[in-house]
């Protein structure tokens, strides 16, 4: 453990997102510490996905601060937030169907440059390593349309963790999975956290101790949970979140 | 890239280009002229496919980019008598600038609005040409004093060489890491953003590349025709032909777009004895292919090859 563990890696303060009259997220505050798995739970429509999108910069927050390692990143565009060390696993995925699983993972590893005309060897090796790590080793040369649903979810996870993010946001990680798959997936998410804590994944760089995810449902996976209890009455509901 | 040179597609493409380059030795000037125009159209279609197939943006105004390149080159030659090559390069650059100016605001709007913006751009250009007839030749067309060469064989080789080089660059780009990022941006912009890619930057770059090749090809075409007119390089119908060619050949294949363009031009010409029916027949075939083989000629062939 190092100094980072004293201070929360991510501090969300008073995060609010309004869509012309409809308040989807109201005054959400929580802290996220290194190595912690933190869940947002609540009924459909209570604003969990919107909260994550606002943190990730996909939706611009109406108000509030998102402080990542001491820097307020609220309002930055998604690609900048991603490059700071965030990854997001989406509920619905649309992978590149003409490319192989390996190439899909490689996309996530590419720099945001217009002049990257040739992929280097290290990139391929890194993508293979990630594919093996999430359990896609046997299918990395196949194309996404031929994969079962659970493997597509693994692919999404692989892309989100590819660049060793410090915070991983997982939206509905278990939607559509069988009970057995939920167990495997849960274990996978935990193992990333644990590896991250011990710095296994980047022995060279020495950073990135803390892949951590927030997700909801099966409460077993998460260390703490944040309740969202407003549903349809979002508009008028009182402060949704009591800090856990 | 390494695997591409070993692939069947590469050898087939190479064989086709070599065979095509021998045509001037034994076919008539009439057919050469037809193919010369078809090859320039092939570049229009390939440049368009980079935007639609990869960036996922439907550009309804390919002729805006083509027209700006063609008319800039033509006007400079007509008014100032500058050298053909200088005019062609300046035409391509004008197209890049026009494309950039158009795409910068257009890419900020989502979905169908991008397409509508590009369509309006064509109409504005068309109006501009008609209104400023002193400069542009208006509806009659612009006479271009110089030509690259009058030799049919040389013109044919220039067009073939230009199409081949454009194909290599555009195809190479589409298969490179930037092409992959572009494709990811087109497929799922939200996710590509969350993966750390600046979508607008990548799409803008694709638009600029597309504009460069469209404008260059448009400029070369008017120096081949010796005239520039709204009906040949700006009209919405020409743009539709470019789009149909690209979709017919196969979305996301780049090379297929060139095949589609050659097919459209050649088929249209061979059906000319049927009079007005020619356009009808070609359009019907195109419609049927799009409805029943949405992957187009090359897309279907590649999918068939992959299954075996």
């Amino acid at each position: 453990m190092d100094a980072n563990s004293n201070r929360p890696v991510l501090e969300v303060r008073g995060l609010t997102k309004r869509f012309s009259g409809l308040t989807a997220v109201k005054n959400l505050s929580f802290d996220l510490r290194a190595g912690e798995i933190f869940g947002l739970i609540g009924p459909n429509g209570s604003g969990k996905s919107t909260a994550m999108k606002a943190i990730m910069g996909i939706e611009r927050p109406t108000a509030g601060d998102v402080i990542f390692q001491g820097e307020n990143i609220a309002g930055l565009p998604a690609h900048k937030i991603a490059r700071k060390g965030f990854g997001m696993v989406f509920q619905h995925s649309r992978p590149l169907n003409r490319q192989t699983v390996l190439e899909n993972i490689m996309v996530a590893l590419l720099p945001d440059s217009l002049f990257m005309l040739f992929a280097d060897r290290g990139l391929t090796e890194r993508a293979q390593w990630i594919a093996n790590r999430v359990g896609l080793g046997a299918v990395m040369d196949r194309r996404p349309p031929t994969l079962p649903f659970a493997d597509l979810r693994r692919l999404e996870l692989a892309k989100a963790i590819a660049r060793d993010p410090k915070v991983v946001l997982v939206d509905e990680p278990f939607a559509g999975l069988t009970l057995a798959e939920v167990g495997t997936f849960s274990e996978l998410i935990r193992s990333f956290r644990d590896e991250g804590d011990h710095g296994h994944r980047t022995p060279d760089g020495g950073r990135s101790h803390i892949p951590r995810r927030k997700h909801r449902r099966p409460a077993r996976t998460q260390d703490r949970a944040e309740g969202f209890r407003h549903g349809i009455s979002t508009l008028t509901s009182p402060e949704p979140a009591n800090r856990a | 890239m390494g695997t591409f040179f070993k692939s069947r597609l590469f050898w087939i493409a190479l064989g086709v280009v070599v065979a095509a380059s021998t045509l001037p030795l034994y076919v008539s000037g009439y057919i050469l002229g037809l193919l010369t125009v078809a090859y320039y159209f092939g570049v229009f279609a390939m440049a368009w496919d980079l935007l639609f197939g990869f960036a996922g943006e439907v550009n309804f105004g390919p002729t805006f980019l083509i027209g700006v390149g063609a008319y800039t080159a033509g006007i400079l030659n007509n008014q100032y008598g500058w050298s053909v090559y200088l005019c062609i390069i300046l035409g391509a650059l004008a197209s890049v600038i026009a494309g950039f100016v158009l795409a910068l605001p257009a890419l900020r709007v989502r979905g169908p609005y991008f397409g509508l913006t590009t369509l309006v751009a064509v109409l504005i250009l068309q109006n501009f040409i008609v209104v400023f007839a002193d400069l542009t030749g208006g509806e009659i067309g612009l006479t271009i004093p110089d030509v690259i060469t009058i030799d049919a064989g040389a013109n044919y080789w220039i067009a073939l060489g230009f199409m081949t080089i454009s194909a290599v660059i555009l195809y190479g780009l589409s298969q490179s890491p930037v092409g992959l990022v572009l494709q990811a941006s087109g497929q799922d912009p939200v996710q590509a953003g969350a993966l750390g890619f600046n979508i607008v930057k990548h799409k803008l770059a694709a638009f600029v590349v597309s504009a460069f090749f469209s404008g260059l090809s448009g400029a070369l075409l008017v120096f081949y025709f010796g005239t520039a007119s709204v009906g040949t390089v700006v009209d919405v119908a020409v743009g539709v032909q470019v789009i149909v060619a690209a979709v017919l050949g196969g979305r996301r294949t780049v090379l297929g777009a060139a095949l589609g363009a050659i097919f459209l031009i050649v088929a249209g010409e061979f059906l000319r004895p049927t009079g007005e029916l020619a356009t009808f027949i070609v359009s019907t075939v195109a419609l049927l292919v799009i409805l029943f083989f949405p992957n187009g000629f090359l897309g279907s062939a590649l999918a068939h090859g992959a299954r075996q």
Side-chain angles (χ1 to χ4, degrees), chain A residues 176-198:
Chain A
L177 296 180
T178 66
L179 205 59
E181 287 165 345
V182 168
T184 323
F185 231 73
S186 225
E187 208 37 61
L188 199 57
I189 290 174
R190 274 185 176 285
S191 71
F192 281 126
R193 185 269 304 267
D194 296 341
E195 275 183 16
D197 276 350
H198 302 122

Side-chain angles (χ1 to χ4, degrees), chain A residues 83 94-95 112 156 159 163, chain B residues 187 191 195-196 201-202:
Chain A
R83 296 279 161 191
R94 292 172 67 197
D112 188 21
E156 291 311 306
K159 279 151 68 180
R163 274 180 301 103
Chain B
Q187 177 92 320
Q191 192 181 57
L195 285 175
K201 181 174 87 177
H202 285 275

Side-chain angles (χ1 to χ4, degrees), chain A residues 1-24:
Chain A
M1 290 287 167
D2 59 18
N4 275 4
S5 52
N6 299 328
R7 192 193 168 146
V9 175
L10 183 70
E11 298 163 65
V12 175
R13 294 286 173 270
L15 189 72
T16 301
K17 177 67 195 174
R18 265 183 232 109
F19 296 102
S20 56
L22 175 83
T23 306

Side-chain angles (χ1 to χ4, degrees), chain A:
Chain A
M1 290 287 167
D2 59 18
N4 275 4
S5 52
N6 299 328
R7 192 193 168 146
V9 175
L10 183 70
E11 298 163 65
V12 175
R13 294 286 173 270
L15 189 72
T16 301
K17 177 67 195 174
R18 265 183 232 109
F19 296 102
S20 56
L22 175 83
T23 306
V25 179
K26 191 175 179 188
N27 213 8
L28 171 69
S29 300
F30 64 85
D31 287 348
L32 201 59
R33 260 165 255 285
E36 187 176 40
I37 297 177
F38 182 83
L40 294 176
I41 55 176
N44 287 335
S46 57
K48 305 174 296 281
S49 289
T50 309
M52 284 194 206
K53 283 180 182 161
I55 293 168
M56 190 71 211
I58 295 166
E59 301 282 2
R60 197 187 166 87
T62 314
D65 294 332
V66 178
I67 296 153
F68 174 64
Q69 294 181 330
E71 183 193 357
N72 188 5
I73 57 167
L76 289 182
H79 66 95
K80 289 204 175 132
I81 290 180
R83 296 279 161 191
K84 286 191 185 294
F86 280 71
M88 182 155 178
V89 181
F90 290 89
Q91 194 179 343
H92 302 288
S93 60
R94 292 172 67 197
L96 297 175
N97 288 336
R98 287 198 191 182
Q99 270 70 32
T100 62
V101 167
L102 193 67
E103 286 168 319
N104 267 281
I105 297 173
M106 271 172 64
V107 173
L109 292 166
L110 294 172
D112 188 21
S113 155
L114 294 173
F115 304 101
M116 182 84 178
L117 296 177
F118 301 98
D120 59 78
R121 186 155 200 88
L123 214 64
T124 318
E125 282 166 9
R126 173 95 180 115
Q128 283 166 340
W129 189 91
I130 295 166
N132 283 318
R133 182 64 192 77
V134 298
L136 290 172
V139 295
M140 61 175 120
D141 293 322
R142 280 168 55 179
R143 283 163 218 280
T146 69
L147 294 187
F149 183 74
D151 280 352
L152 289 175
R153 301 292 307 171
R154 286 177 197 273
L155 175 58
E156 291 311 306
L157 191 61
K159 279 151 68 180
I161 59 137
R163 274 180 301 103
D164 269 325
K166 296 193 172 56
V167 177
V168 179
L169 308 161
V170 189
D171 195 8
E172 289 277 19
F174 306 123
L177 296 180
T178 66
L179 205 59
E181 287 165 345
V182 168
T184 323
F185 231 73
S186 225
E187 208 37 61
L188 199 57
I189 290 174
R190 274 185 176 285
S191 71
F192 281 126
R193 185 269 304 267
D194 296 341
E195 275 183 16
D197 276 350
H198 302 122
H200 284 174
R201 299 196 32 229
T202 49
D204 47 336
R207 354 157 244 118
S208 168
H209 346 253
I210 352 107
R212 90 186 43 87
R213 13 223 71 101
K214 312 169 52 202
H215 48 90
R216 24 210 265 252
R217 283 216 215 119
R220 236 178 289 142
T221 318
Q222 60 229 9
D223 301 334
R224 285 192 298 143
E226 182 78 32
F228 269 56
R229 257 175 257 115
H230 31 182
I232 283 168
S233 62
T234 342
L235 196 81
T236 52
S237 69
E239 193 168 317
N242 310 307
R243 301 260 308 278

Side-chain angles (χ1 to χ4, degrees), chain B residues 53-242:
Chain B
F54 291 86
E57 296 290 349
V58 186
N59 172 15
F60 283 115
T63 50
F64 173 72
L65 304 173
I66 297 164
V68 168
Y71 267 88
T72 306
I75 290 169
L76 289 176
N77 187 253
N78 179 293
Q79 296 279 319
Y80 305 105
W82 290 355
S83 95
V84 174
Y85 302 102
L86 183 64
C87 291
I88 290 170
I89 290 167
L90 291 175
L93 287 181
S95 180
V96 165
I97 294 167
F100 186 83
V101 170
L102 172 70
L104 198 58
L107 282 174
R108 301 208 172 265
V109 296
R110 287 188 191 174
Y113 293 99
F114 174 82
L116 290 176
T117 314
T118 55
L119 187 59
V120 171
V122 175
L123 301 176
I124 292 175
L125 179 66
Q126 196 164 345
N127 259 305
F128 178 88
I129 291 167
V130 173
V131 171
F132 294 91
D134 290 346
L135 187 67
T136 62
E139 284 174 284
I140 298 160
L142 178 73
T143 311
I144 292 160
D146 292 337
V147 287
I148 303 171
T149 163
I150 51 162
D151 180 57
N155 268 317
Y156 173 86
W157 276 316
I158 290 170
L160 180 65
F162 173 62
M163 182 181 72
T164 308
I165 293 168
S166 305
V168 168
I169 295 174
L170 289 169
Y171 184 80
L173 214 53
S174 76
Q175 301 298 310
S176 73
V178 275
L180 221 51
V181 172
L182 191 61
Q183 209 174 335
S185 309
Q187 177 92 320
D188 192 338
V190 170
Q191 192 181 57
L195 285 175
F197 299 112
N198 185 345
I199 311 301
V200 173
K201 181 174 87 177
H202 285 275
K203 288 192 175 178
L204 196 58
F207 207 87
V208 163
V209 171
S210 183
F212 176 78
F213 282 98
S214 303
L216 192 58
S217 190
L220 284 164
L221 187 63
V222 293
F223 279 108
Y224 170 67
F225 280 148
T227 167
S229 63
V230 170
T232 50
V233 288
V234 181
D235 199 81
V236 173
V238 179
V240 170
Q241 205 174 12
V242 171

